[in-house]
């Protein structure tokens, strides 16, 4: 008595990628609803099953769809925007400014659709994403019919979809609540990376992932610089650091892991973390060579990812699989390392496990979802075909197949591509809309190509300050009072310095460029002798932000960079329209008041002579924290005897240039 | 007054890849006969030229065809035959045995046609080959319409097309004479590599290349092992060694150069040598990371090659170009290294220069041959397209284009592909014939998969001995005479040793497998104490070769390997049907006679007792040399007083097992 399935695929060379690597040279597979109900030799399956739809695969390879273990799909719209640049110039000069200007729900949907089309064409059935507006990524992914783990980004910097991390955390919670238990989408939370998150963010995202039992997707040890900085600042490598802050209590997907040691591998293994190795990205950005062979030997589930198409520049898993094998061989000095079958496993069964989807997809086994691709391995560039050894088929796929050899793709029992024709997406429309977007971005970048910010960033080493600066400034008629009152039990003085500040302010034709400040600090000892000098460049925006409390101004992020060249160099490089010089004598205390650190500056403007001023400042990544600090600033003003002193809301440069 | 060209290509985005990297965003090119007669903005060209055929390129990229700077095209037929193996196992276990069995003029023609089809499809217009029967490679290449530098291989080992290097040298000379000044083919000579050629071969091939002013194509410093061995044996690195033997006096194309230092780069630059960098092959075979950035900085012309498709496994230059950029960045720890435009130059203008074809092809310039491709850079995997910066086009081609995006190919003014349809080759026929060949090779390998040789090779470290062994053996009744007469002025004794040899001979059911000998030598000092022990495995073929002179046997190559395991291990591993043991006392002199070295063995067979024997032996790669040595052996027999001693043509094992 034969059973009935929905679809029967016959006359295929089946690579199951299951635990025993079963192959069926003339095999068949039966699918009902979302699932695989039988897989085996054609004769056996045919005798057991009949189906409404019977498809002859013409001897092609039938195998599980590929798992793209790490990407940022909407960045497809930024492909080829800027290449061959150092990471800081690429990221801060191009990616971040363009993302802030353009990334919206519409941008994200278009980019996701375009990426899904490309991924389906290249045999990917599941991807693991990290981006903004992940709710909209989810909608576009479902429309395309693909399976995905989608992580809503949380980080300390302002994001296109959130001015602060508190907003991102809320978005992540809502996203997870809304999409939990969807048949295609696994919602997740993505603290961007240890260096871009505060310990508080790491803990909160881990708690969120645990609360809903969803994956947590994070970048780990991508560059040597990241690891060095971590060791310098916290005395430990990256994996122990995230463990300390609770990350490993969640189901982690760790992208990159280029610079981790064997102790860190054991820690990740013990935590059940999955890894995504991203060879193209690691090579193109010169991040280094991930210890793939060692990670595999340690027992970790290592998947393979394309990373975002702005650093790859495509979503071609065939290229990544080949590179994963090639690079591992070269780095190990051993051509037998990561053989074809292992590389293909990383992109299928092991990749699914790395995404914590091992029970759902990644191999052709009864009960798993029908995520299936057909690959033609007899085109010109892959002829002839040897069949002596079962490994020949894996070698063909890994060492000579192209993504363009994929002819048919099914996800969750539903066809997304038949004979190279996409069934769920309109390619022509997508290409047209993408090109419109590229034109707008081109225009935006041409306009700002000559901007002061981009030139500052091009110098390298520039950093963005914390988002929020809480600050107050008052005119002081009795400076001695401040110096005296600061010595009281409620205020703990952590550090005190005395220096002369020489500031040169550059301004430009276009006011929107803001002002660039070149500052040299001459540090003085008790006798008034210069002991040390420091200089830095800071770009100050024109627009200052809203008041958060009486007398307290909340300003937005600024860029600064160490100034390693002379004032003359910077004048020639930035070509300012005007230069104004200010010299002041500054007494600067770093204090702690009610468990919060502040800088207190008591300034005497020497050149041009303009009297004494008191500044109280603090920076933070959190708006909630900023509001709390604003209150404390007002208390401090009172403690220092300046409650009624006249407030100055202008910067010194504005104050001085607008004085009569 | 407008001029008339044969063909006008209009509405293209032209990348000339000329010295000033001119681009024409809407450009046109005029072609007459084999050559480019004009290139520039469409409006200018149209106003100056009219043509019989005007082709609208639909805004595609029009650029010079790609140069594949190093390959072995007929090996396309061995693609995917054996992968993920150590070099010795891959080469001696699979490639060489299959080549010896199958490589013929027909094999070479079929493989070349298949490779040309694949190369045309992927935008390659010129390739640089090294293989056997290069005359037949040339015929197939001309039929396909491609441009090529074709190097007839010369090496010390017997080749599929020559039993000795003298034959290869003659073939190379005839090939060069026959094809010199062909419009598509540049004939060349290819001494395979310094380690596979004798100094005599290096000198002779250089002389030949200089005589006809053709390129000399050679593998240089591909592996660290090659360089170490060179330093150990000759005390210098590889480049000084080939310089010493005259190679650099020719127009050299040096493939690989993975392990060369800056001094060697200067030497190559000074010699005007071109380099072929082969990233996929270097990665897949774990050869190492070539110092590409340093070679470029030194001023060398570095082209890019696919290497043979048995170690790649395809002929996809888009993949190689991308890898050349990616790997250079990763190794230099600098993402700005080998930017897209440089990688593309390496595959076009610089690659042509590396092949000494800089005046002929590699860029779109008036007077150069019309070697042109059209590439569609707006498919899904390459959308959208940014146009802000002239570098955007190079980045698109290098970081996201696929070989399958090439739509049209012209070589020497003649179309080879239009709209992805091949015009000079029948793909269906080629695929069918290639598959027939693969079936035959599969059967051959299945039959020998269990052979003793393949098992010996699988142990690693095995070597093939010189092709020809000149040897004589006589029964000696007066051994004292030999010891005495060897001390005479005409014979210079270089070394003398005394040892006991313990031989275990394994034989097998299938006589064709030959005999495997496990030999332990116990070296004795003057007092007869053992000072040292050495063991090795040798595979002896069944068939001994022809006599070259009275009493002198010429035998063919054998394989041997150091025996690092115990006799017990080898018995279990090889499972011989029979084992015979022989023990002998050997006095062994290494002597020089008339400027020629010989080994003289005076043996006493102890177990089973069988009397005394004298052997005189010498090995050589050259048949001419073998014949000369055979004469000297007879003279030596006389000098040692054994002119009339009875000759034994059998090996000891045969002699002993056939004694009554």
């Amino acid at each position: 008595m034969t059973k009935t399935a929905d679809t029967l695929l016959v006359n295929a060379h089946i690579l199951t990628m299951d635990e025993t690597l079963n192959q069926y040279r003339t095999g068949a597979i039966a699918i009902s609803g979302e699932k695989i109900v039988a897989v085996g030799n054609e004769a056996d399956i045919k005798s057991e099953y009949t189906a409404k739809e019977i498809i002859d695969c013409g001897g092609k390879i039938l195998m599980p769809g590929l798992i793209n273990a790490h990407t940022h799909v909407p960045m497809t719209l930024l492909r080829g925007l800027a290449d061959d640049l150092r990471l800081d110039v690429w990221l801060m000069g191009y990616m971040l400014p363009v993302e802030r200007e353009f990334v919206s729900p519409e941008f994200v949907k278009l980019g996701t659709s375009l990426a899904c089309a490309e991924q389906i064409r290249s045999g990917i059935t599941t991807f693991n994403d990290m981006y903004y507006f992940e709710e909209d990524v989810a909608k576009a992914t479902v429309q395309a019919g693909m399976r995905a783990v989608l992580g809503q980004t949380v980080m300390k910097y302002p994001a296109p979809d959130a001015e602060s991390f508190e907003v991102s955390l809320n978005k992540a919670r809502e996203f997870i609540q809304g999409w939990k238990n969807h048949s295609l989408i696994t919602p997740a939370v993505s603290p961007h990376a240890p260096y871009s998150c505060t310990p508080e963010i790491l803990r909160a995202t881990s708690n969120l992932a645990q609360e809903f039992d969803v994956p947590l997707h994070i970048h780990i040890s991508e560059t040597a610089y990241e690891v060095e900085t971590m060791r310098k600042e916290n005395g430990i490598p990256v994996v122990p650091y995230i463990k300390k802050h609770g990350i490993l209590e969640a189901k982690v997907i760790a992208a990159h892991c280029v610079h981790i040691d064997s102790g860190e591998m054991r820690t990740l293994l013990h935590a059940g973390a999955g890894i995504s190795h991203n060879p193209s990205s690691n090579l193109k950005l010169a991040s280094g060579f991930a210890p793939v062979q060692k990670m595999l030997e340690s027992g970790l589930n290592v998947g393979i990812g394309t990373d975002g198409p702005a650093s790859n520049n495509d979503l071609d898993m065939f290229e990544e699989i080949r590179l994963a094998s090639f690079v591992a061989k070269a780095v190990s000095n051993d051509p037998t390392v990561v053989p074809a079958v292992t590389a293909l496993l990383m992109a299928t069964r092991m990749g699914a496990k790395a995404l914590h989807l091992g029970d759902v997809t990644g191999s052709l086994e009864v009960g798993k979802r029908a995520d299936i691709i057909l690959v033609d391995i007899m085109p010109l560039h892959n002829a002839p075909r040897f069949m002596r050894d079962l490994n020949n088929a894996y070698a063909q796929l890994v060492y000579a197949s192209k993504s363009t050899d994929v002819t048919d793709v099914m996800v969750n029992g539903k066809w997304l591509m038949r004979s190279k024709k996409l069934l769920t997406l309109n390619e022509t429309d997508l290409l047209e809309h993408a090109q419109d977007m590229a034109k707008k971005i081109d225009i935006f970048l041409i306009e700002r190509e000559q901007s002061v910010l981009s030139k500052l960033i091009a110098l390298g080493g520039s950093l963005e300050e914390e988002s929020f600066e809480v600050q107050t400034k008052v005119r002081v008629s009795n400076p001695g009072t401040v110096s005296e009152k600061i010595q009281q039990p409620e205020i703990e003085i952590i550090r005190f310095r005395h220096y002369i500040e020489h500031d040169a302010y550059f301004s430009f034709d276009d006011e929107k460029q803001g002002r660039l400040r070149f500052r040299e600090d001459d540090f003085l000892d008790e006798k008034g002798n210069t002991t040390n000098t420091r200089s830095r460049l800071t770009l100050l925006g024109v627009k200052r932000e809203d008041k958060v409390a009486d007398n307290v101004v909340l300003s937005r992020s600024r860029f600064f960079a160490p100034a390693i060249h002379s004032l003359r160099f910077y004048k020639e490089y930035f070509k300012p329209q005007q230069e104004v010089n200010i010299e002041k004598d500054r007494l600067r205390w770093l204090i702690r008041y009610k468990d919060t650190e502040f800088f207190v500056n008591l300034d005497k403007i020497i050149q041009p002579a303009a009297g004494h001023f008191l500044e109280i400042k603090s920076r933070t990544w959190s708006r909630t924290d900023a509001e709390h600090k604003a209150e404390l600033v007002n208390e401090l003003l009172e403690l220092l005897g300046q409650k009624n002193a006249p407030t100055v809301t202008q910067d010194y440069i504005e104050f001085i240039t607008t004085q009569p």
Side-chain angles (χ1 to χ4, degrees), chain A:
Chain A
M1 167 90 188
T2 57
K3 299 175 228 170
T4 305
D6 290 340
T7 307
L8 220 53
L9 300 175
V10 303
N11 189 23
H13 177 171
I14 295 184
L15 309 183
T16 62
M17 305 311 287
D18 66 11
E19 289 292 339
T20 47
L21 290 171
N22 278 309
Q23 287 191 30
Y24 303 102
R25 181 67 50 100
T26 299
I29 186 165
I31 293 148
S32 276
E34 299 178 346
K35 292 185 177 172
I36 297 166
V37 292
V39 55
N41 285 315
E42 189 187 88
D44 299 341
I45 301 294
K46 273 182 166 172
S47 72
E48 201 181 349
Y49 282 92
T50 179
K52 297 159 225 168
E53 183 187 38
I54 297 178
I55 293 169
D56 187 320
C57 300
K60 285 179 193 163
I61 292 279
L62 189 161
M63 58 174 285
L66 303 175
I67 314 286
N68 183 357
H70 174 65
T71 184
H72 312 283
V73 284
M75 293 182 88
T76 311
L77 289 170
L78 306 180
R79 181 204 323 266
L81 176 69
D83 295 286
D84 302 317
L85 299 170
R86 274 181 220 288
L87 190 64
D88 58 350
V89 181
W90 178 77
L91 191 67
M92 290 197 282
Y94 293 92
M95 293 302 132
L96 292 181
V98 169
E99 286 184 333
R100 279 185 198 152
E101 184 74 16
F102 289 95
V103 173
S104 64
E106 291 65 41
F107 177 100
V108 155
K109 274 187 213 156
L110 175 60
T112 301
S113 299
L114 193 67
C116 284
E118 184 182 352
Q119 291 186 102
I120 294 167
R121 281 215 169 283
S122 63
I124 297 166
T125 52
T126 299
F127 64 94
N128 176 35
D129 194 63
M130 176 196 291
Y131 208 60
Y132 316 108
F133 299 109
E134 210 65 32
E135 162 91 14
D136 299 286
V137 174
K139 287 176 190 163
T141 303
V142 169
Q143 208 169 358
M146 291 188 74
R147 189 180 306 290
V149 177
L150 304 178
Q152 168 68 33
T153 300
V154 184
M155 58 179 181
K156 62 189 185 186
Y157 309 108
D161 60 354
E163 69 148 17
S164 71
F165 71 80
E166 286 99 338
V167 178
S168 304
L169 267 173
N170 276 335
K171 277 182 93 85
R173 170 175 292 272
E174 282 165 23
F175 172 58
I176 292 168
Q177 282 173 327
W179 289 82
K180 187 94 175 101
N181 301 320
H182 191 280
S183 66
L184 289 172
I185 305 300
T186 305
V189 62
S190 290
H192 174 268
Y195 61 84
S196 54
C197 291
T198 60
E200 183 187 353
I201 297 175
L202 297 178
R203 175 64 64 184
T205 49
S206 175
N207 288 345
L208 183 63
Q210 291 173 66
E211 182 182 343
F212 291 97
D213 189 30
V214 294
L216 180 151
H217 179 191
I218 184 168
H219 294 107
I220 293 294
S221 299
E222 182 173 0
T223 66
Y225 176 78
E226 175 186 344
V227 177
E228 279 161 31
T229 309
M230 178 60 77
R231 283 190 178 274
K232 213 183 298 170
E233 292 178 358
N234 298 287
I236 47 176
V238 178
V239 173
Y241 176 82
I242 59 168
K243 185 179 178 194
K244 182 178 157 193
H245 295 296
I247 286 292
L248 297 185
E249 293 152 30
K251 295 193 298 192
V252 168
I253 308 164
H256 297 299
C257 297
V258 176
H259 302 276
I260 63 172
D261 62 30
S262 46
E264 292 179 280
M265 291 179 205
R266 280 193 299 274
T267 304
L268 289 169
L269 179 68
H270 187 69
I275 312 294
S276 175
H277 168 50
N278 312 294
S280 279
S281 170
N282 294 166
L283 293 171
K284 184 160 186 277
L285 300 176
S287 308
F289 300 103
V292 172
Q293 174 67 2
K294 282 186 192 152
M295 289 194 281
L296 290 171
E297 281 169 359
S298 80
L300 280 164
N301 287 316
V302 185
I304 299 177
T306 58
D307 206 349
S311 61
N312 184 309
N313 291 354
D314 54 25
L315 298 166
D316 185 337
M317 278 291 288
F318 281 83
E319 199 186 318
E320 299 308 319
I321 295 168
R322 181 151 54 240
L323 270 183
S325 168
F326 277 9
V327 174
K329 291 173 192 305
V331 169
S332 319
N333 217 347
D334 180 354
T336 68
V337 152
V338 186
V341 64
T342 302
L344 208 60
L345 270 174
M346 292 167 72
T348 53
R349 178 159 48 83
M350 205 188 287
K353 276 193 191 170
L355 303 192
H356 308 281
L357 290 178
D359 295 336
V360 177
T361 188
S363 59
L364 304 183
E365 294 178 77
V366 172
K368 280 200 177 183
R369 309 292 183 85
D371 295 352
I372 285 168
I373 63 174
L374 291 181
V375 188
D376 180 6
I377 54 168
M378 271 308 286
L380 195 61
H381 57 262
N382 215 339
R385 183 181 188 186
F386 292 96
M387 309 199 203
R388 189 180 80 260
D389 185 331
L390 288 177
N391 281 315
N392 288 147
Y394 302 120
Q396 279 204 281
L397 284 164
V398 173
Y399 300 131
S401 282
K402 298 180 194 299
S403 58
T404 48
D405 299 334
V406 176
T407 58
D408 298 80
V409 175
M410 173 184 277
V411 174
N412 217 39
K414 197 182 145 204
W415 287 111
L416 307 187
M417 181 166 81
R418 288 303 312 276
S419 305
K420 295 202 181 188
K421 195 175 154 35
L422 295 180
L423 304 179
T424 54
L425 293 157
N426 183 328
E427 246 175 290
T428 319
D429 281 3
L430 288 174
L431 288 174
E432 199 178 297
H433 292 142
Q435 198 51 41
D436 288 347
M437 182 61 77
K439 271 186 204 152
K440 285 181 203 154
I441 295 172
D442 260 344
I443 291 165
F444 167 76
L445 279 177
I446 288 164
E447 277 177 3
R448 68 166 280 290
E449 197 83 301
Q450 292 305 313
S451 84
V452 176
L453 174 60
S454 66
K455 292 179 90 169
L456 177 68
I457 285 163
L459 290 173
S462 61
L463 286 173
E464 186 173 358
E465 286 196 320
E466 287 91 338
S467 311
F468 302 104
E469 176 170 64
V470 179
Q471 103 160 50
T472 192
K473 174 153 56 187
V474 294
R475 284 202 84 136
V476 170
S477 48
N478 50 349
T481 311
V482 175
S483 302
E484 192 184 303
K485 294 213 171 209
I486 205 165
Q487 317 280 347
Q488 56 176 284
E490 280 189 78
I491 300 173
E492 180 196 347
I493 295 173
I494 300 169
R495 197 168 67 218
F496 168 72
R497 274 179 175 164
H498 180 199
Y499 44 93
I500 305 294
E501 272 184 342
H502 308 270
D503 291 344
Y505 287 89
F506 297 167
S507 58
F508 304 89
D509 269 353
D510 176 5
E511 272 197 12
K512 279 181 293 181
Q513 302 280 353
R515 279 203 189 83
L516 192 70
R517 183 180 67 201
F518 176 81
R519 168 172 286 178
E520 272 185 299
D521 292 330
D522 294 340
F523 292 94
L524 306 179
D525 64 12
E526 283 164 21
K527 293 172 190 163
N529 299 319
T530 304
T531 57
N532 197 5
T533 298
R534 172 183 69 179
S535 35
R536 57 155 68 175
L537 282 170
T538 307
L539 182 64
L540 310 151
V542 228
K543 199 165 157 279
R544 312 297 285 174
E545 289 267 327
D546 43 317
K547 286 196 171 191
V548 277
D550 280 353
N551 308 321
V552 182
V553 168
L554 185 66
S555 74
R556 292 305 299 268
S557 67
R558 311 185 300 183
F559 286 87
F560 65 91
I564 54 169
H565 304 293
S566 66
L567 179 58
R568 180 201 55 74
F569 167 83
Y570 294 112
K571 272 191 230 177
E572 290 175 11
Y573 179 75
F574 287 103
K575 299 186 180 66
Q577 201 206 2
Q578 209 198 342
E579 181 189 339
V580 176
N581 291 283
I582 298 178
E583 193 180 311
K584 57 179 174 283
D585 179 294
R586 167 168 285 182
L587 302 175
R588 180 179 179 88
W589 292 269
L590 171 60
I591 62 155
R592 187 175 289 120
Y593 171 67
K594 290 191 177 174
D595 279 336
T596 310
E597 289 183 11
F598 293 92
F599 281 107
V600 176
N601 298 331
L602 184 59
D603 294 340
K604 179 185 172 190
I605 312 295
I606 305 167
Q607 172 61 39
H612 288 86
F613 296 84
L614 171 70
E615 289 185 329
I616 306 175
K617 296 182 172 188
S618 187
R619 291 202 150 269
T620 176
W621 293 107
S622 157
R623 179 176 262 274
T624 316
D625 190 33
E627 284 162 5
H628 170 62
K629 282 178 171 164
E631 285 169 31
L632 297 182
V633 165
N634 274 322
E635 293 178 23
L636 276 168
L637 267 186
E638 190 167 352
L639 284 174
L640 297 174
Q642 307 297 334
K643 195 183 176 187
N644 300 313
T647 306
V648 178
T649 56
Q650 293 170 305
D651 275 339
Y652 285 122
I653 176 70
E654 288 160 353
F655 178 78
I656 279 159
T657 51
T658 55
Q659 291 295 299

